[in-house]
Amino acid sequence: MNVVITPLFVRLTHWLNAIAVIVMIMSGLRIYNASPIFDFLIPKELTLGGWLGGAVLWHFAFMWLLLVNGLIYLILNFATGRAKKKFLPISPKELVRDVLDTLKGKLAHDDLSQYNTIQKLAYLSIIADIIILVISGLAIWKPVQLPLFSELMGGFENARIVHFLAMAYAVFFIMVHLVMVAVVPKTLRIMIRGK
Ligand code: HEM
């Protein structure tokens, strides 16, 4: 098959996003350890930045990569009509069929140019999750200058909980995502070479 399935802009923004998300999570966990909101700490080996000041520097540097790269991904996906083509429609009937096929272990993967309903929902959910992460992060960073975001999150303390839970969902997504990629490794070639 010689047709490009995944355009260059998606591949570039996907890999830059993967780097940004991993650095954001690991440095964020170090920041969490300096002022935990729950009664547990994260093992040091899973964190980045060494100390609070270092972790904040990593977090703020890669925040810009996450934001700008994410905006480029979203704008180009909408402008080219790719978002509509790849992620819609989502039909409950097809979702039930795809879930049943998955449970039976016979979900079809022969046409890799189209996402099945589970993929569509998984990808839309992580996109929404990252938007929530950015908004709750801004609410924590500038609670006075950005009162709207802070209010939207139910105040500063709530914004921290939302930020943490959204991070936890991202970790869960990444683990399932990697298992899925391992199950259908051909998709990895497409996300690297485009076809
Ligand atoms: C670090 C290791 C990662 C690997 C090896 C990887 C691999 C892949 C592959 C192979 C695909 C295409 C899968 C398919 O055809 O269904 C894909 C798509 C996708 N991945 Fe990842 N990924 C990684 C990290 C991430 C992270 C950290 C995120 C976000 C938090 C992410 C979000 C997505 C999204 C949203 C898509 C769909 C993109 C689109 O078609 O517009 N990935 N990934």
Side-chain angles (χ1 to χ4, degrees), residues 148-188:
L148 186 70
F149 287 161
S150 192
E151 230 161 88
L152 203 65
M153 291 295 140
F156 180 80
E157 291 304 328
N158 253 343
R160 286 195 69 191
I161 295 172
V162 171
H163 202 60
F164 190 93
L165 294 180
M167 176 282 300
Y169 178 75
V171 171
F172 168 75
F173 167 87
I174 294 169
M175 291 189 315
V176 177
H177 189 47
L178 293 182
V179 171
M180 292 304 164
V181 173
V183 172
V184 192
K186 260 191 289 180
T187 59
L188 184 59

Side-chain angles (χ1 to χ4, degrees), residues 1-7 82-88 108-116 119-120 123 184 186-187 189-190 194-195:
M1 199 171 16
N2 236 356
V3 208
V4 172
I5 294 177
T6 304
R82 179 180 181 272
K84 200 171 157 200
K85 212 171 79 195
K86 289 294 268 196
F87 299 114
L88 294 178
H109 296 291
D110 13 285
D111 181 5
L112 293 178
S113 69
Q114 281 182 336
Y115 289 147
N116 62 51
Q119 284 168 304
K120 287 178 189 173
Y123 297 147
V184 192
K186 260 191 289 180
T187 59
R189 194 197 64 209
I190 296 171
K195 49 194 176 189

Side-chain angles (χ1 to χ4, degrees), residues 2-186:
N2 236 356
V3 208
V4 172
I5 294 177
T6 304
L8 183 62
F9 85 83
V10 174
R11 285 179 273 144
L12 278 177
T13 51
H14 173 268
W15 293 117
L16 286 174
N17 177 72
I19 296 170
V21 167
I22 290 165
V23 171
M24 291 301 279
I25 291 175
M26 292 179 68
S27 55
L29 291 175
R30 180 63 193 84
I31 298 170
Y32 166 89
N33 275 355
S35 167
I37 44 176
F38 302 110
D39 58 1
F40 58 84
L41 290 176
I42 306 295
K44 230 175 124 206
E45 297 70 36
L46 298 176
T47 70
L48 176 77
W51 59 299
L52 176 60
V56 168
L57 287 178
W58 279 101
H59 212 63
F60 281 177
F62 278 77
M63 166 184 89
W64 294 112
L65 176 63
L66 182 78
L67 182 71
V68 174
N69 183 64
L71 285 174
I72 293 172
Y73 168 82
L74 286 177
I75 291 168
L76 288 180
N77 254 297
F78 280 106
T80 56
R82 179 180 181 272
K84 200 171 157 200
K85 212 171 79 195
K86 289 294 268 196
F87 299 114
L88 294 178
I90 293 175
S91 104
K93 215 171 109 192
E94 277 171 28
L95 176 63
V96 173
R97 189 200 59 201
D98 288 350
V99 170
L100 289 177
D101 283 356
T102 306
L103 294 176
K104 287 184 222 147
K106 52 176 200 155
L107 185 63
H109 296 291
D110 13 285
D111 181 5
L112 293 178
S113 69
Q114 281 182 336
Y115 289 147
N116 62 51
T117 318
I118 299 173
Q119 284 168 304
K120 287 178 189 173
L121 284 174
Y123 297 147
L124 288 174
S125 76
I126 189 65
I127 292 167
D129 186 66
I130 292 178
I131 293 172
I132 293 171
L133 273 166
V134 170
I135 294 177
S136 54
L138 288 172
I140 297 167
W141 184 34
K142 300 270 181 208
V144 178
Q145 293 88 334
L146 300 168
L148 186 70
F149 287 161
S150 192
E151 230 161 88
L152 203 65
M153 291 295 140
F156 180 80
E157 291 304 328
N158 253 343
R160 286 195 69 191
I161 295 172
V162 171
H163 202 60
F164 190 93
L165 294 180
M167 176 282 300
Y169 178 75
V171 171
F172 168 75
F173 167 87
I174 294 169
M175 291 189 315
V176 177
H177 189 47
L178 293 182
V179 171
M180 292 304 164
V181 173
V183 172
V184 192
K186 260 191 289 180

